[in-house]
Amino acid sequence: MKLFKWKRPLNRTAGSGYRFLFGTSSAGKTVNERTAMQMTAVYACVRILAESIASLPLHVYKRGDKGNRIKAEELPLFFLLHDEPNPEMTSFIFRETLMTHLLLWGNGFAQVLRNGKGEVIGLYPLLPNKMSVERDEKGQLYYRYTRNDAEPPTLEGNSVILFPENVLHIPGLGFDGLVGYSPISMTKNAIGLAMAAEEYGSKFFANGAAPAGVLEHPGVIKDVSRLRESWNSTFGGSANAGKIGILEEGMHFHPIAMSPQDSQLIETRKYQLDEIARIFRIPPHMIGDLEKSSFSNIEQQGLEFVKYTLDPWVCRWEAALSKALLSREERRQYEIRFNVDGLLRGDYKSRMEGYAVGINNGFMSPNDARRLENMDLIPPEKGGDNYLIQGAMIRLEDAGIYANKAENKSTDKE
């Protein structure tokens, strides 16, 4: 392993100093990646996107001589990406983990293990909150990672220097093109308001299903704390809702708090659900909000989710994987691609009509359609790979030729 030397303290990149954005939101709640995941809407959005990227087929393709693509199953990299990036996790878990890091921290990192020939033999996720992107005195990028003993023994020491060729880095949206900014930190006020509204609703039921108020006594109470504790233990909490209170010695109870409906708590919580869905560009119906959805538009929203939400993430992943795992010479011959065709398929009737159009117009064979439907292929000798067109179709300039020939033949007979 090469040694990394420097003569003076090293500087971080301009985009690395965004962590000041974390902390207390305007609503008074502390927002970071871990507390945000306690919000059901944030958890649902992160889970949907992470599982969607993880479930897409991921292949390494070899470019053919005729412009076609062939799966390069003979490459060790194909097995790493499609099946098992390391002995401890599957490809699904690996991609799900990195996508979760991307959505929460704005960056996904993985250590790239190589053999003596420079070939990739393993990929291990690295926690983004322990990684910093820095430059040496010559302006060259490198990565500094702080590890602990619970992590895989692929790194030695507590502070490890990694070269770019040994790191798979997928940056999210950022200001310098090198480091992505955390969506949680950038939208902490919206998430903090949702957390505050949720806490308010929880405390409302914890303190009693009836509004809080003031106990008024005509005389002087010697032990106020004892009276308060007695009242809370008897009537506080949702389990005590509806109990009848008995007031002695001329005492009166005066409610002073507003109900959740008066404070528009329910409306606030519903609006924040839409806010969080907007942050991650998730259709509200996918996280359980069906208020503005119907049977006629849910399918269209699902297709828009693939086109406008998943596609940018897929392009980001493909570019980062190709850059980190393929050399410049290899990128001329191979490419790494996700397959989103399955998610873009419509209902059964629409698919069948589309296949019929493709087969009748000669740009699909019967086996092309059967592959998309995961059906057994028709043997080639029975015409499964044939490309067909309608025999009655002729060129526009040939229209009338056959009619003229038939007329001339009839004239000659006469």
Side-chain angles (χ1 to χ4, degrees):
M1 180 179 291
K2 295 185 293 184
L3 296 178
F4 198 90
K5 299 180 180 180
W6 60 87
K7 298 181 180 179
R8 58 185 176 83
L10 305 175
N11 298 321
R12 292 188 176 184
T13 59
S16 297
Y18 71 92
R19 295 194 173 275
F20 67 93
L21 294 171
F22 288 109
T24 304
S25 65
S26 300
K29 306 303 296 180
T30 300
V31 179
N32 55 44
E33 294 90 356
R34 300 185 187 277
T35 59
M37 281 290 280
Q38 296 177 359
M39 286 294 305
T40 56
V42 174
Y43 182 89
C45 290
V46 171
R47 182 178 179 182
I48 288 171
L49 283 171
E51 291 180 345
S52 297
I53 291 295
S55 61
L56 292 176
L58 178 60
H59 302 295
V60 181
Y61 292 96
K62 182 178 181 179
R63 295 188 179 95
D65 297 333
K66 300 180 180 179
N68 58 330
R69 295 187 306 178
I70 306 170
K71 291 181 182 178
E73 299 183 12
E74 71 281 0
L75 291 181
L77 183 60
F78 185 97
F79 175 78
L80 290 176
L81 294 178
H82 184 267
D83 298 288
E84 187 178 290
N86 62 70
E88 298 180 349
M89 59 188 68
T90 63
S91 176
F92 183 98
I93 298 300
F94 173 80
R95 285 183 278 153
E96 182 185 46
T97 302
L98 255 66
M99 189 62 188
T100 302
H101 293 170
L102 258 172
L103 296 169
L104 295 178
W105 280 277
N107 294 276
F109 296 99
Q111 182 189 8
V112 181
L113 299 183
R114 300 179 184 271
N115 59 16
K117 299 180 181 179
E119 299 172 336
V120 180
I121 59 174
L123 297 167
Y124 284 86
L126 300 174
L127 289 173
N129 59 328
K130 296 183 178 182
M131 181 75 79
S132 63
V133 185
E134 305 180 4
R135 293 187 185 274
D136 64 9
E137 58 184 5
K138 296 181 180 179
Q140 298 298 317
L141 288 175
Y142 73 96
Y143 297 84
R144 182 189 297 274
Y145 188 72
T146 304
R147 67 176 297 273
N148 55 41
D149 295 336
E151 296 184 72
T154 56
L155 298 171
E156 296 181 359
N158 294 327
S159 183
V160 184
I161 302 298
L162 295 171
F163 289 89
E165 59 266 26
N166 295 324
V167 177
L168 166 62
H169 180 197
I170 310 174
L173 179 66
F175 292 160
D176 64 352
L178 299 174
V179 180
Y181 279 10
S182 166
I184 304 301
S185 67
M186 302 299 287
T187 58
K188 67 177 182 180
N189 288 330
I191 297 175
L193 179 57
M195 295 170 63
E198 185 177 74
E199 183 183 30
Y200 179 90
S202 299
K203 287 186 176 180
F204 171 78
F205 286 101
N207 293 329
V214 175
L215 288 173
E216 181 182 358
H217 192 277
V220 178
I221 301 176
K222 296 181 179 180
D223 195 344
V224 178
S225 60
R226 182 178 180 182
L227 176 62
R228 183 187 298 111
E229 292 175 1
S230 176
W231 179 270
N232 289 335
S233 62
T234 305
F235 303 106
S238 56
N240 295 323
K243 283 188 176 182
I244 299 175
I246 299 176
L247 303 179
E248 302 178 356
E249 301 178 358
M251 189 178 299
H252 298 276
F253 175 77
H254 301 283
I256 59 173
M258 295 186 298
S259 66
Q261 290 79 10
D262 293 336
S263 61
Q264 297 183 341
L265 173 64
I266 296 177
E267 288 78 4
T268 299
R269 294 202 64 189
K270 290 177 65 176
Y271 178 76
Q272 290 311 114
L273 184 107
D274 291 338
E275 278 278 273
I276 293 173
R278 187 180 300 117
I279 294 170
F280 293 97
R281 203 185 296 173
I282 298 291
H285 78 270
M286 297 186 72
I287 58 175
D289 184 6
L290 301 175
E291 183 177 357
K292 297 180 181 179
S293 299
S294 63
F295 290 107
S296 61
N297 66 7
I298 279 186
E299 181 179 352
Q300 183 61 34
Q301 291 183 43
L303 295 177
E304 290 179 354
F305 167 74
V306 176
K307 183 176 181 180
Y308 298 113
T309 303
L310 277 188
D311 268 0
W313 286 113
V314 166
C315 293
R316 197 183 297 271
W317 269 82
E318 289 174 345
L321 289 171
S322 297
K323 182 177 182 296
L325 306 181
L326 297 176
S327 65
R328 182 171 299 180
E329 292 74 18
E330 290 174 333
R331 289 199 289 271
R332 297 173 182 172
Q333 187 177 7
Y334 299 98
E335 58 183 29
I336 300 173
R337 289 287 181 266
F338 285 91
N339 187 353
V340 297
D341 292 340
L343 297 178
L344 291 171
R345 295 187 300 178
D347 58 84
Y348 184 81
K349 180 181 178 181
S350 299
R351 297 201 308 274
M352 295 303 108
E353 292 174 349
Y355 296 149
V357 172
I359 293 173
N360 291 336
N361 288 277
F363 62 85
M364 289 185 71
S365 70
N367 279 343
D368 290 336
R370 296 179 73 89
R371 287 188 187 95
L372 294 174
E373 293 294 321
N374 294 320
M375 300 172 66
D376 293 336
L377 301 184
I378 301 173
E381 61 271 16
K382 294 186 178 181
D385 293 329
N386 292 340
Y387 291 89
L388 311 171
I389 59 172
Q390 293 291 338
M393 301 290 287
I394 61 175
R395 296 183 300 172
L396 181 62
E397 59 267 26
D398 294 337
I401 291 179
Y402 299 105
N404 292 334
K405 288 182 177 179
E407 183 178 352
N408 292 334
K409 287 182 179 179
S410 63
T411 304
D412 294 340
K413 289 181 179 179
E414 294 176 356

